[in-house]
Amino acid sequence: MKDLYCIGCGAKIQTTDKDKIGYTPLSTLEKNQETGDIYCQRCFRLRHYNDIQDVQLSDDDFLKLLHEVGDSNALIVNVVDIFDFNGSVIPGLSRFVANNDILLVGNKKDILPKSVKDAKVTQWLMERAHEEGLRPKDVVLTSAQNRQAIKELIQKIDQLRKGRDVYVVGVTNVGKSTLINAIIQELTGSQNVITTSRFPGTTLDKIEIPLEDGHYLFDTPGIIHRHQMAHYLSKKDLKYVSPKKEIKPKTYQLNQEQTIFMAGLARFDFLEGDKQGFTIFVDNNLPLHRTKLEGADGFYQKHLGQLLSPPKHDQIKTFPKLVKHEFVITEKMDLVFSGLGWIRIKEKARVAAWAPEGVSVVLRRAVV
């Protein structure tokens, strides 16, 4: 079959990977070849359902996009996942933004327990951004899914862009496209806003959304972050690492030399210290299992894929081994498993955290 290209964005049509650029179902392609109107699924949904869908960039495309962002005179809106900051940082972004201003948007604020104060989360995100070499002008917390603080976000963008274009960037799984759709709906007051005539600049690497003063808001494709916990799970199991509802913390009273498994995805060992309560902040449906440290290795090997699931039994061979990270706690801290959640430790302790190889585990000042 000769190469075919989407007439909406110019992407080469392919029928094998729906997460990659240019995908269209084979049955749809065969039907559209008769009319000559060949669209990829992304452009089709944009035209007919007013739905901006995320697509993923290759590393080369990603570098090209970052250079374009760096060469522009624009406001950069960097969307991160509050629940998974480490997994939603764009590698090397600080080197490319040049002198452009950055607005950091922490998405998914609705899943944090109500006891978590916005000011504390905002301060924490600013500190973490500085550690990554970024100097945001401000931080806005939102929930794209529940349309929280969308008006405030739009006002902040308008205040900071100062008549310039806006680039919205983020890695996959942070909810960036949902956020873009919420912004468009808020700006226009209409569900039916995305049409080929209104958005003529739909291209392979970005969607151009016109602003009233002749400038544009560019929605860029999702960038793949290779150390996200989500990449190690099937689509059915993503719900365990992408909470949709407010997290209900669970507290376990542990003696030293006790272990808690978070399904088969991670493990927490209380190695040494006085008995105390450890509060776990993960998706409400993630199975937790307490056992003795002495037999924890054997317990994991015996029950992985069944009692300790996800990962499912048929995913065990491809699931990374768990790597041990040991910490000495001297004050109230959160032990964060990137993309999974965190454990609040209130008193002195020596602990170990096990996470899939490549997934980071970090300490931070407790946010609750």
Side-chain angles (χ1 to χ4, degrees):
M1 186 176 72
K2 69 175 183 177
D3 290 343
L4 299 171
Y5 296 87
C6 172
I7 63 175
C9 67
K12 184 178 177 180
I13 295 294
Q14 53 91 10
T15 59
T16 54
D17 190 339
K18 59 184 176 182
D19 292 326
K20 295 282 180 64
I21 286 171
Y23 173 77
T24 190
L26 183 59
S27 58
T28 302
L29 177 61
E30 291 170 346
K31 186 189 304 181
N32 289 347
Q33 276 186 285
E34 298 175 6
T35 64
D37 293 336
I38 299 173
Y39 288 94
C40 68
Q41 188 173 71
R42 172 181 178 239
C43 288
F44 181 85
R45 295 195 64 82
L46 183 64
R47 287 186 78 226
H48 296 285
Y49 299 104
N50 313 308
D51 179 23
I52 290 180
Q53 289 190 312
D54 210 357
V55 293
Q56 298 179 358
L57 290 179
S58 69
D59 288 350
D60 287 342
D61 289 333
F62 162 56
L63 287 173
K64 178 183 173 186
L65 172 62
L66 282 185
H67 278 295
E68 181 181 333
V69 171
D71 291 341
S72 66
N73 177 25
L75 172 66
I76 313 301
V77 177
N78 183 196
V79 184
V80 297
D81 183 347
I82 293 173
F83 194 62
D84 184 18
F85 181 87
N86 288 68
S88 57
V89 171
I90 297 175
L93 180 61
S94 60
R95 298 198 306 270
F96 291 93
V97 295
N99 295 319
N100 287 325
D101 293 333
I102 297 177
L103 173 61
L104 190 65
V105 178
N107 191 28
K108 306 183 184 179
K109 65 173 285 188
D110 54 310
I111 67 169
L112 295 178
K114 289 185 174 61
S115 56
V116 179
K117 304 299 182 186
D118 283 0
K120 209 164 188 180
V121 177
T122 298
Q123 180 186 357
W124 169 67
L125 285 177
M126 186 68 83
E127 290 172 356
R128 291 293 293 115
H130 281 207
E131 289 172 15
E132 295 293 333
L134 300 172
R135 295 292 182 269
K137 289 291 184 181
D138 209 341
V139 177
V140 176
L141 307 182
T142 69
S143 167
Q145 179 179 268
N146 292 337
R147 299 177 55 80
Q148 290 181 17
I150 300 301
K151 284 183 179 178
E152 292 88 336
L153 174 59
I154 292 170
Q155 290 170 357
K156 185 60 67 174
I157 289 174
D158 203 48
Q159 173 191 334
L160 294 178
R161 75 182 185 90
K162 298 174 182 175
R164 296 173 292 174
D165 293 333
V166 179
Y167 280 83
V168 184
V169 299
V171 305
T172 54
N173 302 317
V174 298
K176 180 176 63 64
S177 292
T178 306
L179 186 66
I180 287 282
N181 284 319
I183 288 173
I184 293 170
Q185 189 174 336
E186 188 66 44
L187 285 173
T188 63
S190 170
Q191 295 277 3
N192 188 25
V193 296
I194 304 174
T195 66
T196 48
S197 59
R198 182 173 172 82
F199 294 89
T202 302
T203 63
L204 177 63
D205 60 353
K206 60 183 179 293
I207 293 173
E208 300 176 0
I209 300 164
L211 301 170
E212 289 183 353
D213 59 4
H215 287 271
Y216 289 88
L217 186 150
F218 296 106
D219 176 35
T220 62
I223 295 156
I224 299 172
H225 193 305
R226 305 196 185 283
H227 300 305
Q228 286 181 313
M229 179 77 80
H231 290 313
Y232 302 120
L233 297 177
S234 68
K235 290 197 172 181
K236 283 186 177 179
D237 290 334
L238 283 178
K239 61 186 177 183
Y240 294 111
V241 299
S242 301
K244 301 296 184 187
K245 297 180 179 179
E246 180 186 342
I247 293 170
K248 305 297 183 187
K250 302 178 182 72
T251 298
Y252 287 78
Q253 296 294 328
L254 298 183
N255 293 306
Q256 63 180 13
E257 299 190 358
Q258 286 190 300
T259 289
I260 292 181
F261 283 101
M262 289 165 269
L265 303 178
R267 165 180 160 185
F268 172 77
D269 297 339
F270 180 22
L271 301 175
E272 188 178 350
D274 294 334
K275 181 178 180 179
Q276 62 171 290
F278 296 90
T279 304
I280 303 177
F281 298 79
V282 293
D283 183 85
N284 301 330
N285 296 310
L286 185 73
L288 303 174
H289 297 278
R290 174 166 39 185
T291 188
K292 292 181 179 178
L293 174 61
E294 183 181 5
D297 290 344
F299 186 87
Y300 186 74
Q301 294 300 325
K302 180 179 179 180
H303 295 292
L304 182 62
Q306 297 173 343
L307 180 65
L308 300 179
S309 172
K312 298 287 194 300
H313 186 71
D314 58 356
Q315 299 167 324
I316 292 176
K317 289 183 179 179
T318 58
F319 192 73
K321 68 176 182 179
L322 298 188
V323 176
K324 183 180 181 181
H325 308 260
E326 196 165 318
F327 301 92
V328 175
I329 310 299
T330 58
E331 57 184 322
K332 187 177 176 182
M333 302 289 282
D334 288 336
L335 182 61
V336 182
F337 297 78
S338 185
L340 185 64
W342 69 92
I343 298 177
R344 184 182 63 203
I345 306 169
K346 298 178 74 172
E347 300 174 31
K348 293 181 179 179
R350 186 166 65 89
V351 302
W354 300 69
E357 189 171 21
V359 172
S360 64
V361 177
V362 297
L363 281 177
R364 71 180 180 208
R365 289 202 301 273
V367 297
V368 182

